[in-house]
């Protein structure tokens, strides 16, 4: 199989003293580098009584025949053909010849053999390393598809069993049936992955044991790091500076954050996990080399991956940003077990430190945004009453915001737990009839969300004072608290705040509705006598009818422009008014209408008991007001983010 020719450095001239030239193979330096540590693992072969100079000469002869056959500077066949693809049995023999050559060189040095033999052996060793280096590069390059982290990661368990099978019987290296010895037959892709990984490990072990680990690692790091960097880029994980993040508008930052969120799971569980698995296998003989190699390949990309959330957390704030931050926090938290496992080496612990730093900054930023949001409710300075006593835009935006926060209760629990309680703002001591400790929401998240709603309710209480009509101010409060209760019951807020909380809110809504009825219709009720007397004079009857007509007209005119947006709540209010007003009016009407018959003043009786209910059906519709409220909501800052 033809392979790509890679540039080769010329073999350096052998030093004057051959035995010193052998130091690279036989006497690893005292350096503490991973290569040196690994080389020290391979001690010189012990002398054997059966070892003799003729036998070593024979080993050198056999090695020379095999190595020169595959000399990369030799024949065209050797130059453009892959040994491991052409003949796997011969590839195994080639590696064994290199091992025998190394054993022979140890013997020659120990026996102080002639310099000529040492030079010959050293030249053969360098020639063999050039071939293995080229094979290593070719396997990594030609098998990118089979060694991509996604394939390796997703099939890691199957590949591990198959690799174990191949390592159990190295004498039958050329036979593929060993790969399938464990379990069911593996797929073709898995088979190719296993073969490539086995070849890489065989070459790496051989090159490192003979002192050529640096060349092996250099090739591996260059190719695999490019794969990791390319994989991160394709996942949308880009490199940003703090200034670049700060210059992004909310829309652009949201887009980049979503790209990061879409890619983080694959990046950790597939890309980085697969790369760690591959590196651990290829350099399985030495933990020091595995650590150094994986650190050089993945450290920079992984650090940049986990640094992005911190940059986002430290950038400019706006209320809806809290949801982006919690998404980022949740993503890192969910992947923490995998992150700890993949980056367990001490040399890459900085990746875990960066992930922890991002979690810390995200938590701080979320808590700050919640405090800012509470403060913004308190500082809302609008003094223009909402027409018709409708739902205030502040109520809509706050409840949308809080209900969305409730969907993140798990994340918020981690963030809020252990943090200081929110600053106690100057609110009424008991907005909900002084609830006892046992009646309050118990979790930190529940308390925090209940507090934000309480801040809103107190602000609404102050805004009700801007209405000149007391009845309308009570209707405003009833509408807004009813909206709060309905929103709570329709979302996960209900589970967080509990039944006691909603019951007390509903009690408050009914109180405000009753106060509205009393203030809006008391004048109408006062125009009718408490008890209808049959001996009432016609003039008195006329006065009552005249006063009732005037009072009802006034109430009808005003309340026709008022609004109760919720249909059921509106019907309940109107039914309550009708059930109290119509019976009293019917009794008075039926008792005294005969007195006015034939009198020209009969026109004073504008309303019959039957059509009084029809007039009441027209009130609290406020169509124009509803349209205005809808327009206000659509322009709300929260409308883009909140449901």
């Amino acid at each position: 199989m033809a392979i790509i020719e890679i540039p080769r450095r010329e073999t350096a001239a052998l030093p004057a003293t051959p035995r010193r030239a052998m130091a690279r193979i036989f006497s690893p330096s005292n350096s503490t580098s991973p290569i040196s540590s690994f080389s020290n693992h391979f001690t010189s072969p012990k002398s054997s009584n059966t070892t003799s100079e003729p036998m070593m000469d024979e080993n050198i002869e056999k090695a020379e025949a095999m190595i020169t056959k595959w000399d990369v500077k030799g024949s065209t066949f050797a130059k453009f053909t892959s040994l491991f693809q052409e003949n796997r049995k011969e590839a195994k023999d080639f590696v064994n010849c290199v091992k025998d050559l190394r054993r022979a060189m140890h013997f020659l040095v120990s026996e102080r053999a002639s310099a000529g033999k040492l030079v010959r052996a050293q030249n053969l060793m360098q020639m063999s390393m050039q071939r293995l280096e080229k094979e290593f590069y070719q396997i990594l390059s030609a098998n990118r598809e089979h060694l991509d982290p996604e394939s390796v990661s997703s099939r890691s368990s199957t590949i591990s069993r198959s690799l174990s099978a191949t390592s159990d019987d190295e004498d039958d290296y050329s036979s593929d049936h060993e790969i399938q010895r464990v379990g069911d037959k593996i797929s073709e892709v898995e088979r190719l992955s296993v073969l490539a990984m086995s070849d890489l490990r065989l070459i790496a072990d051989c090159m490192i044991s003979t002192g050529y680990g640096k060349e092996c690692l250099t090739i591996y790091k260059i190719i695999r790091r490019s794969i990791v960097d390319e994989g991160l880029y394709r996942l949308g994980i880009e490199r940003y500076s703090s200034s670049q993040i700060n210059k992004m508008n909310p829309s652009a930052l949201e887009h980049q954050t979503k790209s990061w969120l879409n890619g983080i799971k694959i990046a950790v569980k597939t890309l980085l996990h697969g790369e760690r698995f591959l590196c651990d296998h290829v350099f399985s003989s030495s933990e020091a080399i595995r650590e150094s190699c994986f650190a050089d390949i993945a450290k920079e990309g992984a650090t940049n991956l986990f640094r992005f959330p911190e940059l986002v957390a430290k950038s400019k704030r706006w209320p809806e940003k809290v949801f982006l931050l919690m998404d980022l926090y949740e993503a890192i938290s969910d992947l923490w077990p995998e992150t700890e496992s993949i980056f367990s080496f001490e040399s890459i612990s900085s990746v875990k430190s960066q992930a922890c730093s991002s979690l810390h900054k995200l938590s701080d930023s979320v808590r700050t945004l919640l405090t800012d949001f509470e403060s913004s409710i308190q500082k809302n300075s609008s003094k223009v009453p909402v027409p018709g006593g409708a739902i205030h835009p502040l109520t809509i935006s706050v409840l949308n915001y809080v209900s969305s926060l409730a969907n993140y209760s798990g994340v918020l629990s981690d963030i809020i737990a252990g943090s200081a309680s929110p600053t106690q703002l100057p609110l009424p001591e008991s907005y909900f009839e002084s609830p006892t400790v046992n009646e309050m929401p118990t979790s930190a998240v529940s308390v925090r969300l209940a507090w934000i709603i309480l801040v809103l309710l107190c602000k609404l209480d102050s805004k009700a004072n801007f209405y000149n009509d007391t009845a309308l101010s009570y209707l405003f409060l009833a509408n807004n608290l009813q909206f709060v209760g309905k929103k709570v019951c329709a979302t996960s807020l209900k589970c967080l705040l509990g039944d006691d909380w909603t019951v007390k809110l509903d009690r408050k809504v009914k109180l405000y509705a009753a106060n509205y009825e009393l203030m809006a219709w008391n004048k109408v009720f006062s125009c009718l006598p408490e008890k209808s007397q049959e001996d009432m004079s016609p003039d008195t009857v006329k006065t009552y009818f005249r006063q009732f007509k005037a009072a009802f007209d006034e109430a009808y005119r005003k309340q026709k422009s008022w609004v109760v947006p919720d249909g059921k709540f509106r019907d309940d209010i109107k039914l309550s008014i009708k059930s109290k007003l119509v019976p009293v009016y019917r009794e008075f009407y039926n008792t005294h209408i005969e007195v006015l018959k034939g009198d020209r003043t009969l026109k004073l009786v504008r309303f019959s008991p039957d059509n009084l209910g029809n007039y009441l059906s027209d009130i609290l519709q406020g169509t124009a007001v509803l349209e205005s409220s809808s327009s206000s909501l659509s322009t709300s800052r929260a409308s883009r983010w909140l449901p």
Side-chain angles (χ1 to χ4, degrees):
M1 176 181 175
I3 61 173
I4 301 173
E5 177 69 13
I6 59 175
R8 301 294 308 169
R9 63 185 184 282
E10 294 299 325
T11 302
L14 199 65
T17 306
R19 288 180 177 81
R20 289 182 181 177
M22 302 302 108
R24 179 174 188 175
I25 301 176
F26 308 131
S27 304
S29 68
N30 294 324
S31 170
T32 58
S33 68
I35 297 299
S36 298
S37 300
F38 188 75
S39 297
N40 286 329
H41 177 72
F42 291 87
T43 56
S44 301
K46 295 181 179 180
S47 297
S48 171
N49 293 332
T50 60
T51 301
S52 63
E53 186 169 352
M55 183 181 296
M56 293 300 102
D57 288 341
E58 182 180 353
N59 286 344
I60 294 176
E61 291 291 338
K62 290 180 179 179
E64 183 174 26
M66 175 66 76
I67 292 171
T68 53
K69 174 183 177 181
W70 290 99
D71 181 12
V72 295
K73 297 181 180 179
S75 66
T76 302
F77 173 80
K79 188 175 183 180
F80 292 102
T81 304
S82 168
L83 168 58
F84 280 76
Q85 289 294 327
E86 181 70 19
N87 189 327
R88 295 181 56 76
K89 177 64 171 63
E90 190 166 346
K92 174 67 176 179
D93 293 340
F94 185 95
V95 172
N96 287 334
C97 283
V98 174
K99 292 179 180 179
D100 291 341
L101 177 61
R102 180 172 179 271
R103 190 176 296 108
M105 294 171 72
H106 274 288
F107 176 82
L108 294 176
V109 170
S110 64
E111 296 297 321
R112 297 186 176 277
S114 65
K117 288 185 177 181
L118 287 174
V119 170
R120 177 189 178 195
Q122 173 66 3
N123 286 334
L124 288 174
M125 181 61 72
Q126 289 188 347
M127 192 182 301
S128 68
M129 289 300 106
Q130 289 175 357
R131 163 51 65 182
L132 290 179
E133 186 178 345
K134 185 171 184 177
E135 292 291 328
F136 196 75
Y137 173 86
Q138 191 275 336
I139 293 170
L140 283 172
S141 300
N143 290 278
R144 286 177 69 105
E145 181 179 349
H146 303 127
L147 295 177
D148 74 284
E150 181 175 1
S151 297
V152 173
S153 180
S154 62
R155 304 181 178 92
S156 57
S157 59
T158 304
I159 291 175
S160 294
R161 292 193 300 269
S162 300
L163 286 170
S164 177
T166 60
S167 62
D168 288 343
D169 192 354
E170 292 187 355
D171 292 336
D172 192 17
Y173 184 81
S174 62
S175 176
D176 290 351
H177 78 269
E178 287 297 331
I179 299 174
Q180 301 168 0
R181 193 176 69 180
V182 180
D184 297 332
K185 185 176 181 179
I186 64 175
S187 68
E188 178 64 13
V189 173
E190 290 169 341
R191 188 186 72 83
L192 294 174
S193 297
V194 169
L195 292 177
M197 292 173 68
S198 297
D199 292 345
L200 290 172
R201 181 172 64 181
L202 186 72
I203 295 173
D205 288 351
C206 184
M207 293 186 69
I208 293 171
S209 67
T210 52
Y212 286 80
K214 182 178 180 181
E215 290 82 352
C216 175
L217 287 176
T218 298
I219 294 173
Y220 187 89
K221 290 175 183 178
I222 290 174
I223 293 179
R224 298 310 301 180
R225 179 169 179 172
S226 69
I227 290 174
V228 170
D229 291 344
E230 180 183 345
L232 290 172
Y233 178 78
R234 289 185 174 182
L235 289 172
I237 310 298
E238 300 185 38
R239 299 177 188 272
Y240 290 106
S241 65
S242 179
S243 61
Q244 288 176 312
I245 295 294
N246 283 322
K247 290 178 182 178
M248 291 183 184
N249 59 39
S251 178
L253 187 57
E254 176 188 345
H255 174 75
Q256 294 301 328
T257 301
K258 287 185 176 180
S259 293
W260 187 92
L261 290 169
N262 290 335
I264 179 65
K265 187 174 182 179
I266 298 175
V268 173
K269 287 192 171 184
T270 299
L271 183 64
L272 296 172
H273 172 264
E275 199 58 45
R276 171 67 189 268
F277 180 82
L278 180 63
C279 188
D280 284 353
H281 174 75
V282 173
F283 302 104
S284 59
S285 300
S286 170
E287 182 175 346
I289 287 184
R290 294 201 306 270
E291 179 175 350
S292 172
C293 186
F294 184 68
D296 286 349
I297 291 171
K299 183 177 181 179
E300 184 177 345
T303 301
N304 176 69
L305 173 69
F306 287 111
R307 182 169 175 258
F308 176 80
E310 180 176 349
L311 296 178
V312 175
K314 294 164 68 175
S315 63
K316 54 190 175 183
R317 304 194 301 265
W318 71 94
E320 299 81 10
K321 183 184 175 185
V322 71
F323 303 107
L324 281 181
L325 300 181
M326 289 191 291
D327 284 335
L328 292 170
Y329 185 98
E330 185 175 32
I332 298 176
S333 298
D334 289 346
L335 292 169
W336 183 249
E338 289 83 0
T339 303
E340 276 197 308
S341 175
I342 294 169
F343 300 99
S344 58
F345 293 133
E346 181 63 29
S347 62
I348 48 178
S349 61
S350 59
V351 175
K352 292 188 292 184
S353 298
Q354 177 60 68
C356 287
S357 177
S358 289
L359 287 174
H360 178 72
K361 295 296 182 183
L362 289 168
S363 297
D364 286 347
S365 187
V366 167
R367 289 191 288 266
T368 299
L369 283 169
L370 291 179
T371 302
D372 289 348
F373 186 70
E374 293 174 15
S375 179
S376 70
I377 298 173
Q378 280 286 86
K379 293 177 181 178
N380 187 288
S381 58
S382 173
K383 296 182 179 181
V384 179
V386 178
I391 300 168
H392 200 287
L394 180 65
T395 305
I396 297 172
S397 62
V398 170
L399 262 295
N400 283 338
Y401 193 87
V402 175
S403 62
S404 293
L405 287 174
N407 295 331
Y408 290 84
S409 59
V411 179
L412 272 178
S413 179
D414 291 341
I415 294 174
I416 295 176
S419 65
S421 300
T423 304
Q424 297 298 307
L425 302 174
L427 301 177
E429 292 183 3
S430 58
Y431 196 83
F432 287 125
E433 304 174 6
S434 302
T436 64
V437 174
N438 292 332
E439 293 173 333
M440 289 293 290
T442 55
S443 74
V445 175
S446 300
V447 171
R448 191 61 182 268
L449 298 185
W451 179 263
I452 294 176
I453 294 177
L454 182 57
V455 172
L456 167 67
L457 297 182
C458 292
K459 174 56 68 171
L460 292 174
D461 215 34
S462 66
K463 288 186 179 296
N465 295 326
F466 298 137
Y467 288 97
N468 294 324
D469 192 309
T470 305
L472 185 56
S473 69
Y474 280 121
L475 183 64
F476 167 78
L477 290 172
N479 275 330
N480 281 266
L481 267 69
Q482 189 274 339
F483 176 85
V484 171
K486 185 177 180 180
K487 189 74 172 179
V488 167
C489 291
T491 63
S492 52
L493 277 169
K494 188 177 190 308
C495 295
L496 291 172
L497 300 180
D499 292 334
D500 288 342
W501 191 95
T502 55
V503 167
K504 290 180 179 180
L505 180 69
D506 185 59
R507 190 181 303 154
K508 202 77 174 179
V509 172
K510 290 178 179 178
L511 176 62
Y512 285 140
N515 288 343
Y516 147 74
E517 287 184 31
L518 179 64
M519 300 304 297
W521 294 96
N522 186 54
K523 184 177 180 181
V524 177
F525 278 102
S526 66
C527 294
L528 296 172
E530 293 184 6
K531 290 186 178 181
S532 187
Q533 301 175 357
E534 293 184 4
D535 58 350
M536 192 178 294
S537 67
D539 289 340
T540 302
V541 171
K542 291 177 185 179
T543 299
Y544 276 122
F545 272 116
R546 185 183 296 107
Q547 291 176 345
F548 180 83
K549 174 181 178 297
F552 189 88
D553 277 342
E554 181 183 0
Y556 174 79
R557 176 181 51 79
K558 288 197 301 183
Q559 293 179 61
K560 192 174 181 181
S561 64
W562 295 0
V563 61
V564 176
D566 184 81
K568 184 180 183 305
F569 189 42
R570 180 173 62 248
D571 290 341
D572 289 344
I573 292 176
K574 289 193 290 188
L575 181 61
S576 176
I577 297 170
K578 182 178 179 181
S579 65
K580 296 171 185 175
L581 180 61
V582 173
V584 176
Y585 181 71
R586 184 184 299 278
E587 181 182 359
F588 178 77
Y589 180 91
N590 290 338
T591 302
H592 300 289
I593 191 62
E594 294 294 331
V595 176
L596 300 180
K597 279 190 176 181
D599 195 312
R600 286 182 297 178
T601 59
L602 187 60
K603 62 183 180 181
L604 292 174
V605 187
R606 178 180 174 185
F607 309 107
S608 70
D610 292 331
N611 67 15
L612 193 63
N614 295 332
Y615 280 95
L616 289 175
S617 66
D618 292 337
I619 66 173
L620 306 180
Q621 299 286 353
T623 304
V625 176
L626 284 174
E627 292 175 352
S628 174
S629 298
S630 176
S631 176
S632 298
L633 174 61
S634 65
T635 57
S636 170
R637 290 185 305 167
S639 62
R640 181 173 62 87
W641 268 91
L642 306 174

